[in-house]
């Protein structure tokens, strides 16, 4: 029997207290690679200690030296009692960010801390957890995770669950849909009362509808059940760690956790 997934939440400062009440480790999304580079931080409640640092790179120009920046990161982790780092680096890979990952890998390994990195930086250092997104508009989640497990080893792969709610034109030449808010999705389901199906390949629910203005549409969305299914798919492949964004799943989290089964 497979054990339940080990779940890590990410949460910005405004959601930190709410996320902590679930008793799961929380990566505090209050940090950024700023110019210099220096560690930029948002205001965090003084009482919030422990968990992990979540670090993004929005607006970073890719210039500077890795060493001093990484020491800033470690000092902040020590001051806050963090025991891990999650690098939420989006956009094209930058050489300096790769160097930061390499340096942080050595520093975190010495301390016995996990270091989570996007797949684009997965080959930069061996002792990292590689984040593989669950978001797909085509293909198969099983195949996606199987390939990642073959490339990095299942023990290094962490499923980054992204709650999907998107409206696609049919056909969809770009594979990009229009994001839907929870309210928009709920309204669409109520007004159209569509027949909803489940895609085993995408591990998400979907329905189709016709619009007088622009023809056929395909709507893909998650609920607690489909997210639990993604976690089970990962576990079946030996991938037992998962990261969820608390603001994305706050209305589903209790159901996700109570419904986890080996």
């Amino acid at each position: 029997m497979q054990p339940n997934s080990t779940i890590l939440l990410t949460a910005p400062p405004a959601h930190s207290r709410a996320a902590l009440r679930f008793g799961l480790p929380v990566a505090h999304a209050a940090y950024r690679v700023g110019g210099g580079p220096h560690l930029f931080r948002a205001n965090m409640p003084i009482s919030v200690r422990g968990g992990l640092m979540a670090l993004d790179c929005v607006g970073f120009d890719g210039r500077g030296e890795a060493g001093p920046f990484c020491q800033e990161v470690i000092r902040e982790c020590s001051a806050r009692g963090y025991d891990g780092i999650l690098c939420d680096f989006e956009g094209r890979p930058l050489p300096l960010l790769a160097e930061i990952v390499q340096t942080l890998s050595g520093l975190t390994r010495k301390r016995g801390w996990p270091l989570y990195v996007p797949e684009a930086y997965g080959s930069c250092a061996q002792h990292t957890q590689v984040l593989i997104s669950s978001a797909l508009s085509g293909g198969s989640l099983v195949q996606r995770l199987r390939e990642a497990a073959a490339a990095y080893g299942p023990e290094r792969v962490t499923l980054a669950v992204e709650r999907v709610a998107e409206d696609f034109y049919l056909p969809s030449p770009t594979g990009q849909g229009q994001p839907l808010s929870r309210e928009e999705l709920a309204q669409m389901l109520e007004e159209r009362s569509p027949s909803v199906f489940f895609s085993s390949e995408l591990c998400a629910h979907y329905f189709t509808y016709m619009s007088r203005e622009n023809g056929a549409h395909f709507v893909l969305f998650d609920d607690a059940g489909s997210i639990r299914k993604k976690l089970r798919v990962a576990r079946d492949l030996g991938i037992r760690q998962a990261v969820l964004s608390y603001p994305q799943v706050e209305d589903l989290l209790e159901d996700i956790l109570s419904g986890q089964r080996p």
Side-chain angles (χ1 to χ4, degrees):
M1 295 176 69
Q2 297 281 4
N4 284 348
S5 302
T6 300
I7 292 177
L8 167 67
L9 300 176
T10 62
H15 292 267
S16 291
R17 294 184 191 279
L20 286 166
R21 66 189 174 89
F22 286 90
L24 299 171
V26 174
H28 299 283
Y31 299 92
R32 177 164 294 168
V33 184
H38 290 289
L39 181 65
F40 289 5
R41 58 183 67 77
N43 289 329
M44 284 276 290
I46 295 175
S47 60
V48 172
R49 288 184 55 81
L52 294 83
M53 172 188 288
L55 180 67
D56 73 32
C57 64
V58 176
F60 180 53
D61 60 12
R63 294 182 292 181
E65 296 183 10
F69 171 79
C70 292
Q71 290 301 324
E72 285 186 53
V73 169
I74 295 299
R75 284 196 298 272
E76 176 70 8
C77 287
S78 298
R80 282 281 184 176
Y82 299 150
D83 57 6
I85 300 168
L86 187 149
C87 297
D88 184 18
F89 296 162
E90 296 184 347
R92 63 182 179 86
L94 297 175
L96 183 58
L97 292 180
E99 191 178 341
I100 286 171
V101 166
Q102 291 172 342
T103 304
L104 286 178
S105 175
L107 293 170
T108 53
R109 189 185 181 202
K110 285 180 184 177
R111 292 162 173 79
W113 298 352
L115 175 65
Y116 298 85
V117 301
E119 187 175 13
Y121 296 90
S123 60
C124 295
Q126 185 176 357
H127 300 285
T128 55
Q129 289 297 124
V130 183
L131 297 165
I132 303 296
S133 173
S134 68
L136 300 170
S137 59
S140 161
L141 181 61
V142 170
Q143 186 60 28
R144 178 82 176 88
L145 293 178
R146 185 176 287 132
E147 290 171 355
Y152 303 107
E155 70 285 348
R156 282 190 63 201
V157 176
T158 295
L159 177 63
V161 176
E162 295 188 44
R163 182 180 182 176
V164 65
E166 289 187 279
D167 186 345
F168 297 84
Y169 292 119
L170 288 177
S172 178
T174 65
Q176 298 293 318
Q178 175 66 35
L180 298 172
S181 68
R182 295 176 200 170
E183 295 75 20
E184 288 170 333
L185 176 62
Q187 182 178 359
M188 192 176 289
L189 287 167
E190 182 178 355
E191 290 179 352
R192 297 184 179 276
S193 298
S195 296
V196 176
F197 304 94
F198 183 77
S199 168
S200 298
E201 290 76 20
L202 302 178
C203 282
H205 300 285
Y206 71 93
F207 62 88
T208 60
Y209 71 93
M210 290 293 295
S211 165
R212 291 180 180 177
E213 292 78 21
N214 41 42
H217 288 245
F218 171 86
V219 176
L220 190 68
F221 70 96
D222 276 320
D223 63 7
S226 64
I227 291 175
R228 288 198 303 268
K229 176 65 174 176
K230 296 178 203 288
L231 297 174
R232 284 198 298 272
V233 164
R235 287 201 306 273
D236 288 345
L237 294 170
I239 299 167
R240 297 187 174 90
Q241 294 198 66
V243 175
L244 284 76
S245 165
Y246 178 75
Q248 284 188 11
V249 299
E250 58 180 326
D251 59 322
L252 304 178
L253 190 54
E254 198 164 312
D255 195 3
I256 292 169
L257 297 177
S258 66
Q260 273 211 99
R261 293 290 183 270

